Amino acid sequence: MIDKSQYDDVFSGVIGQDYELLNLICPLATKMSRLVGDKASEYAAQTTDNLNVVELGGGTGITTLSLLTASDNFNIISIDNEPVMQEQAKKHLHKWAANGKLVFCGDDALTALQNIATDSVDIVASAYTLHNFLDTYRKEVMQQIFRILKPGGQFINGDRYALDDVSLHTRTIQQEVSGYFKVLTQLNKLDVLEHWIVHLFSDESENHVMRESVALAQLQDAGFSDINLSNRLEVNALVTATKPG
């Protein structure tokens, strides 16, 4: 596991401007990526075996790198159907791909999961991907995650879990938007600001928003146990769940 004091230096060195900009706009997002890696490292510490890890929504590779540096025993499939972002991840993480520790899949999440064997994966990990899905699609994805995990396997997700208190959630989002304006206008990144605001409208729409109580109930309905939400940071949180052995 990367020492927390060295985390930013290591990641900015590998991921470069992608990490630097995300850390400026949304530092809690980069913290969640680190927490996903930390939790995966805890799971890996229980065994000396090589572990199969599936990552949903690899993006430019920030969470992928957190997983790769969490344990030498991970063999990772990183899934993302956005080719521009995945090409950046391939460039950033070529060393691990060349060593056979990382492979990329360009299918959408549901298609990719449907093509993975039942009870074959130790960890399914993700950060800031599931909240982008339509709620009906997300439900199918959760069912497939449960299917492919081995008994005792773990789901780890750092993401936007909307507060059940809608008024408090709204105030928190307003503060978040104010932060976007403050940072991105100072950087004269108005195009990025526009992108983030437009995307936020999608995140908060009724058929996308991932409300905490609904999301945890969805995990329970899929069959998971030991469901836990921790590290609540504004609208962000880390959720873990286990497939019963």
Side-chain angles (χ1 to χ4, degrees), residues 14-15 18-19 22 57-64 80 84-93:
V14 176
I15 302 296
D18 295 312
Y19 179 78
L22 181 60
T60 59
I62 292 170
T63 307
T64 319
D80 201 306
V84 173
M85 297 183 76
Q86 192 174 75
E87 284 303 315
Q88 292 179 64
K90 288 178 180 179
K91 179 181 177 181
H92 295 148
L93 306 175

Side-chain angles (χ1 to χ4, degrees), residues 5-20:
S5 65
Q6 300 175 2
Y7 187 88
D8 285 341
D9 287 342
V10 172
F11 275 60
S12 61
V14 176
I15 302 296
Q17 291 183 347
D18 295 312
Y19 179 78
E20 298 281 6

Side-chain angles (χ1 to χ4, degrees), residues 75-144:
N75 296 308
I76 300 174
I77 300 174
S78 181
I79 298 165
D80 201 306
N81 66 338
E82 172 46 66
V84 173
M85 297 183 76
Q86 192 174 75
E87 284 303 315
Q88 292 179 64
K90 288 178 180 179
K91 179 181 177 181
H92 295 148
L93 306 175
H94 62 89
K95 178 177 73 174
W96 288 272
N99 289 338
K101 305 299 293 182
L102 173 65
V103 296
F104 293 94
C105 173
D107 293 333
D108 72 278
L110 186 57
T111 299
L113 291 168
Q114 288 170 338
N115 289 326
I116 296 174
T118 299
D119 297 341
S120 64
V121 174
D122 297 283
I123 296 172
V124 175
S126 186
Y128 296 98
T129 295
L130 270 67
H131 79 273
N132 292 302
F133 297 159
L134 286 169
D135 49 12
T136 52
Y137 183 93
R138 187 186 302 129
K139 182 178 181 180
E140 291 187 75
V141 165
M142 297 312 307
Q143 292 169 344
Q144 288 298 317

Side-chain angles (χ1 to χ4, degrees), residues 167-216:
S167 296
L168 178 58
H169 179 80
T170 300
R171 291 195 299 273
T172 306
I173 293 296
Q174 289 169 336
Q175 293 169 1
E176 182 179 344
V177 171
S178 295
Y180 294 163
F181 274 88
K182 181 178 180 180
V183 171
L184 292 171
T185 54
Q186 287 179 350
L187 293 173
N188 197 29
K189 294 277 189 180
L190 299 184
D191 56 335
V192 178
L193 176 61
E194 179 184 8
H195 171 81
W196 276 76
I197 297 301
V198 170
H199 183 77
L200 189 64
F201 272 92
S202 176
D203 288 349
E204 295 300 308
S205 64
E206 186 175 352
N207 58 351
H208 277 91
V209 68
M210 191 161 66
R211 192 75 59 191
E212 176 183 327
S213 59
V214 175
L216 299 187

